[in-house]
Amino acid sequence: MSTPTDSRTNLLGLPRPALEEFVSGLGSKPFRARQLMNWIYKRGAGSFDAMTDLAKQFRAKLDATAEVRAPEIVSVQRSSDGTIKWLLRADASQAFEMVFIPEPDRGTLCISSQVGCALDCSFCSTAQQGFNRNLTTAEIVGQVWLACRELEREAAARDVEGPGTAAPAGDERHVTNVVLMGMGEPLANFRNVVPALAIFLDDFGFDLSRRRVTLSTSGLVPQIYRLAEESNVALAVSLHAPDDALRNELVPINRKHPIAELLAACWHYLDEQNGRSVTFEYVMLEGVNDSPAQARALARLLKGHPAKVNLIPFNPFPGTRYRRSSAPVIQRFRDELLQRGVLATIRRTRGDDIDAACGQLAGRVIDRTTVRLGSKTFGLAIQP
Ligand code: SAH
């Protein structure tokens, strides 16, 4: 009888030192961990049978005690612009999302760190569903592992069938960048996120450069200091307002950690990690935070610091009281920043026809009965 899945160790949750310990526990040499990682991350192997250069006995032991298990796909949606959104199962009634954004020079995978979110930012649709649970390290790493495999499979199918619809011709169709900008607040799930970052950067893992992995936070100041000690990925911060009064309203965690403290933590992070700059995300909300005076106030905050501002046109969702600033207003805001020597770009909205754009990830599975009927995913109804 085979061991029930739940009692096996999911190797996607183990960064290299933990994996070395695991294989030692099975009586093997620690260097076997590197061989295993090579199979799992470089070759996308999901079963130990495929790992032909490992001794049969070791493979049998792995089979009995371990597994490589990515989150289960509930559904896939494709945008006309090539963006792909996967809804992934967290449990019978909850799901979370990841989004692949192909561009000519990069393929960005936007992953989730929690199911739902507890931070309650007033303009974000994930906030509306409340907080359900933290994702495990294996579920965070599993998203990247799964996306790489799915994209690989699509590439192989294209070779056979000719060009498909996955992405406009010429766009990068592999994961070259990972951003923790999906559902959840990554620094509120510090314990599981940091080991995942290690696997993203590890030469034997996904081997991504630190500049190609970005963690975005709403501003959990103590955890930014902790992150500076434990990782060196690129940092993005959801600022959204140039003063505390407005930020208290938009990003309520600001009441606990106001802007001055947050910026001090950012500059500390760069100093510690020898980073180039922090990206400040700023959602453009009509009549709320988009005036030229607010742009000038923002420039005063950031001028002279290694900062980049990324202006995000607001993506609406049902029930929201906000509206997107018009294109000329957003451009004017950017120009005010540029004129004052603050780097600023406007984020191109991607995947909005499938609700895959920033702040639109909701991930609710509404037909609970169908899910409980079994592990098959057909018949699932996804909230639009
Ligand atoms: N919790 C983290 C990670 C989420 S990143 C954070 O807050 O940084 C997602 C980015 O999209 C954040 O900058 C978030 O503020 C922004 N966002 C949220 N809702 C949005 C919306 N409706 N339109 C545009 N951007 C939004």
Side-chain angles (χ1 to χ4, degrees):
M1 226 171 69
S2 66
T3 324
T5 291
D6 288 349
S7 67
R8 298 187 204 184
T9 301
N10 191 347
L11 301 188
L12 294 175
L14 303 185
R16 187 150 31 121
L19 187 61
E20 284 172 350
E21 210 170 292
F22 183 80
V23 301
S24 297
L26 296 181
S28 275
K29 294 268 185 296
F31 79 86
R32 296 283 174 210
R34 296 200 292 259
Q35 250 175 316
L36 261 173
M37 288 184 83
N38 198 46
W39 276 108
I40 296 170
Y41 298 109
K42 299 281 193 301
R43 307 175 72 160
S47 90
F48 302 115
D49 288 348
M51 304 181 181
T52 43
D53 59 353
L54 298 178
K56 266 223 166 92
Q57 222 188 356
F58 181 45
R59 277 189 272 161
K61 275 190 196 161
L62 285 168
D63 248 338
T65 56
E67 62 181 349
V68 178
R69 183 157 50 97
E72 187 186 329
I73 298 173
V74 176
S75 69
V76 189
Q77 282 176 282
R78 287 162 201 283
S79 160
S80 54
D81 69 12
T83 300
I84 308 174
K85 178 168 88 168
W86 287 270
L87 188 66
L88 304 173
R89 184 193 300 274
D91 57 40
S93 63
Q94 294 287 332
F96 57 99
E97 299 181 322
M98 73 172 175
V99 178
F100 178 70
I101 307 150
E103 290 177 275
D105 61 335
R106 72 180 80 178
T108 303
L109 187 70
C110 176
I111 62 172
S112 295
S113 55
Q114 298 181 313
V115 184
C117 188
L119 282 162
D120 211 23
C121 299
S122 59
F123 52 87
C124 180
S125 89
T126 304
Q128 294 203 324
Q129 78 180 87
F131 174 69
N132 186 260
R133 72 167 170 88
N134 282 328
L135 291 178
T136 63
T137 301
E139 286 171 322
I140 298 166
V141 172
Q143 292 173 66
V144 182
W145 187 83
L146 182 65
C148 291
R149 242 166 93 120
E150 289 298 300
L151 293 168
E152 206 59 60
R153 220 163 43 84
E154 291 195 352
R158 262 196 314 275
D159 285 347
V160 178
E161 292 158 19
T165 54
D171 273 354
E172 175 61 60
R173 293 171 195 206
H174 294 99
V175 176
T176 64
N177 292 55
V178 172
V179 298
L180 284 95
M181 295 188 185
M183 291 165 71
E185 166 50 53
L187 292 185
N189 185 13
F190 195 91
R191 196 164 55 92
N192 295 333
V193 163
V194 167
L197 298 176
I199 294 175
F200 298 159
L201 302 191
D202 192 329
D203 306 354
F204 292 93
F206 291 105
D207 195 17
L208 292 167
S209 107
R210 53 181 285 209
R211 310 210 189 277
R212 290 179 177 272
V213 177
T214 303
L215 181 147
S216 178
T217 178
S218 57
L220 270 60
V221 166
Q223 284 86 339
I224 295 175
Y225 284 96
R226 276 179 67 197
L227 189 69
E229 285 166 23
E230 299 192 29
S231 189
N232 61 0
V233 297
L235 184 65
V237 170
S238 294
L239 192 58
H240 305 315
D243 61 80
D244 284 321
L246 181 58
R247 194 163 191 271
N248 286 345
E249 200 185 296
L250 300 177
V251 186
I253 191 75
N254 194 71
R255 293 180 200 145
K256 210 164 163 194
H257 305 298
I259 293 175
E261 272 181 35
L262 174 59
L263 294 182
C266 292
W267 313 141
H268 171 83
Y269 186 82
L270 289 182
D271 282 349
E272 284 298 297
Q273 290 304 337
N274 196 19
R276 279 186 198 160
S277 64
V278 172
T279 299
F280 292 94
E281 293 150 296
Y282 194 101
V283 62
M284 295 300 290
L285 306 169
E286 186 177 75
V288 175
N289 65 354
D290 63 352
S291 74
Q294 286 164 317
R296 292 191 288 271
L298 182 60
R300 282 194 294 277
L301 278 181
L302 301 180
K303 194 175 164 41
H305 292 287
K308 275 193 279 198
V309 176
N310 195 210
L311 301 173
I312 313 175
F314 172 64
N315 294 306
F317 51 89
T320 181
R321 61 179 184 275
Y322 297 110
R323 280 192 312 221
R324 178 186 291 186
S325 310
S326 70
V329 165
I330 298 177
Q331 283 154 16
R332 168 87 195 269
F333 198 95
R334 177 200 54 198
D335 293 343
E336 291 284 346
L337 292 170
L338 291 175
Q339 279 159 20
R340 284 163 184 78
V342 174
L343 275 178
T345 51
I346 300 171
R347 190 178 291 178
R348 191 152 67 97
T349 297
R350 298 291 303 264
D352 51 348
D353 54 344
I354 54 167
D355 283 347
C358 306
Q360 291 186 318
L361 304 187
R364 265 173 301 248
V365 179
I366 54 169
D367 190 346
R368 295 169 188 217
T369 38
T370 331
V371 188
R372 272 197 231 105
L373 290 176
S375 60
K376 296 250 170 56
T377 56
F378 56 78
L380 270 179
I382 308 309
Q383 189 133 313

